[in-house]
Amino acid sequence: MDASKAPSADGRLLGTLTAAACHDLMNVFATFNQALGLMDDCLAADAKTTRRTFGIKGGFAYRERFVELTAMLRGQLARAVGLTEALALAAHSVDGQGRTVAPPEALAALVALAERLLKRRKITAEVAPSDEADPCWPTLRRADYLGPVLETILACLPHLPMGGKICLSCRPDGDALAVTLAPGEGELPDDALAAGLYAARAAGAEVAPGKTLTLVFRESPTTQPASCPPQADGAS
Amino acid sequence: MRMEDVNILLVDDEREFTATLAERMELRGLTVRCVYSGEEALKEIGADKPDVVVMDVMMPGLKGLDILRHIKATNPEIQVILLTGQAGTRDGMEGMKLGAFDYLLKPLELDALLGKIAEAAAIGGKA
């Protein structure tokens, strides 16, 4: 690993604390999930009692509303779980713990976490799956590419049309990782391209020339080459 | 042997989670005991050997993997299902190497857990 890119003590601390909090949040969500399941079980038991007693017992008056509310809570719970998983993954990118993930999954987590920032301009983002069936990803720390990609997206945002869409894709390029940021349709506006180019370079990424922004991240000379098929990242 | 005859031990320091999960399993007619620490789990296993242990990996005191090692050394016929968060997938894989039947990620879907318990119990000759 390039020592100059090693996370600071502050970064590692924040990563460790965030990941620990995410772990506990998952325990909270697991309890919510079981409690919601138990509510469903109680409703089912009530319906059974009503049927069995021909309506003499049971018959919860607010059943339909209750079912709607539990469904809503399940949806919100799924959202919270998704965000927490993404946050844990990001936190582990600086503390060097957690599971190994391929770059498309790491980018998807980044997009999930940045959703609130993108919404300011009503912009949506998606990450394309890899073209190759089992790509051999270079060994890179997540933090080495997620940070510059986020800074590039944020720099482009003010120059993108409201309500637009951005697409992220990535592929191995020899011993490097190439991450492309493109609009949902057409080409990036010139000022978005310029702002993104500047931000990417300032964040330490190489940028391949073209009408899309393709950021290139190379393994540091001291990094051992990745062995296939294990996925890239993480192993810092 | 039916699922109702499978002796299940839940081990997790998250009391509300464990109690709620146990209540849902009991509503389905399963026999479930709950303990809230690794130390309690070892005592409970010594007192009344379960068929299947469902256990969180990350607990204060004795960790799930430590208990798993103990179980596999003393009662290898007991099947162990580990519960872990996404970030704990490595622990789950480590647990499989140590002889765990499988691992599941939290938050947990009850049907997925019941399916795993049935599979685990079948290996041990139950269900």
Side-chain angles (χ1 to χ4, degrees), chain A residues 23-24 26-31 33-35 37-38 41-42 74 81 85 88 92 96-100 234-235, chain B residues 12-14 16-18 20-21 23-24 27-28 56 58 84-90 105-110:
Chain A
H23 185 98
D24 253 356
M26 281 303 200
N27 279 325
V28 173
F29 297 149
T31 307
N33 198 33
Q34 292 310 320
L38 190 53
D41 291 346
C42 292
R74 278 189 194 288
V81 167
E85 282 175 0
H92 281 313
Q97 302 295 310
R99 67 196 173 99
T100 299
Chain B
D12 196 323
D13 63 303
E14 294 286 331
E16 290 86 355
F17 167 75
T18 313
T20 314
L21 182 59
E23 190 175 345
R24 295 191 71 199
L27 278 172
R28 285 156 179 80
D56 191 29
M58 291 279 282
T84 175
Q86 278 279 350
T89 308
R90 282 182 190 172
L105 301 178
K106 281 184 175 178
L108 188 69
E109 289 308 323
L110 182 62

Side-chain angles (χ1 to χ4, degrees), chain A residues 108-153:
Chain A
L110 180 74
V111 164
L113 291 173
E115 190 181 311
R116 176 56 49 189
L117 301 172
L118 297 171
K119 272 185 179 170
R120 288 179 190 164
R121 292 192 56 76
K122 298 182 181 174
I123 288 171
T124 56
E126 68 174 28
V127 179
S130 175
D131 290 338
E132 298 175 47
D134 191 14
C136 182
W137 298 106
T139 305
L140 288 167
R141 293 172 58 254
R142 287 196 290 270
D144 287 347
Y145 60 94
L146 292 182
V149 169
L150 178 61
E151 291 196 34
T152 306
I153 293 171

Side-chain angles (χ1 to χ4, degrees), chain B residues 22-38:
Chain B
E23 190 175 345
R24 295 191 71 199
M25 292 166 82
E26 284 163 356
L27 278 172
R28 285 156 179 80
L30 304 185
T31 308
V32 189
R33 287 174 289 153
C34 298
V35 291
Y36 306 106
S37 72

Side-chain angles (χ1 to χ4, degrees), chain A residues 9-198:
Chain A
D10 287 350
R12 283 197 305 275
L13 178 65
L14 193 58
T16 300
L17 291 175
T18 305
C22 288
H23 185 98
D24 253 356
L25 279 173
M26 281 303 200
N27 279 325
V28 173
F29 297 149
T31 307
F32 283 2
N33 198 33
Q34 292 310 320
L36 280 168
L38 190 53
M39 289 181 198
D40 288 342
D41 291 346
C42 292
L43 282 178
D46 177 72
K48 197 174 169 185
T49 302
T50 307
R51 276 197 307 274
R52 205 181 58 233
T53 63
F54 300 102
I56 296 169
K57 287 185 179 176
F60 180 37
Y62 303 100
R63 160 179 292 277
E64 284 182 18
R65 184 68 184 128
F66 200 85
V67 167
E68 284 172 6
L69 288 171
T70 55
M72 182 198 72
L73 285 173
R74 278 189 194 288
Q76 292 299 314
L77 183 60
R79 186 178 166 210
V81 167
L83 272 171
T84 306
E85 282 175 0
L87 187 59
L89 197 146
H92 281 313
S93 70
V94 288
D95 76 354
Q97 302 295 310
R99 67 196 173 99
T100 299
V101 296
E105 189 182 348
L107 289 170
L110 180 74
V111 164
L113 291 173
E115 190 181 311
R116 176 56 49 189
L117 301 172
L118 297 171
K119 272 185 179 170
R120 288 179 190 164
R121 292 192 56 76
K122 298 182 181 174
I123 288 171
T124 56
E126 68 174 28
V127 179
S130 175
D131 290 338
E132 298 175 47
D134 191 14
C136 182
W137 298 106
T139 305
L140 288 167
R141 293 172 58 254
R142 287 196 290 270
D144 287 347
Y145 60 94
L146 292 182
V149 169
L150 178 61
E151 291 196 34
T152 306
I153 293 171
L154 295 181
C156 289
L157 270 187
H159 308 288
L160 295 173
M162 286 282 275
K165 183 177 172 183
I166 54 176
C167 298
L168 288 172
S169 59
C170 62
R171 60 185 165 77
D173 182 9
D175 66 348
L177 171 70
V179 179
T180 299
L181 191 161
E185 52 188 42
E187 295 181 340
L188 276 177
D190 285 344
D191 43 2
L193 192 62
L197 187 70
Y198 182 82

Side-chain angles (χ1 to χ4, degrees), chain B residues 68-86:
Chain B
L68 172 64
R69 278 191 198 92
H70 180 88
I71 291 173
K72 287 297 160 186
T74 55
N75 294 286
E77 67 280 11
I78 296 176
Q79 300 299 324
V80 179
I81 297 168
L82 297 171
L83 305 180
T84 175
Q86 278 279 350

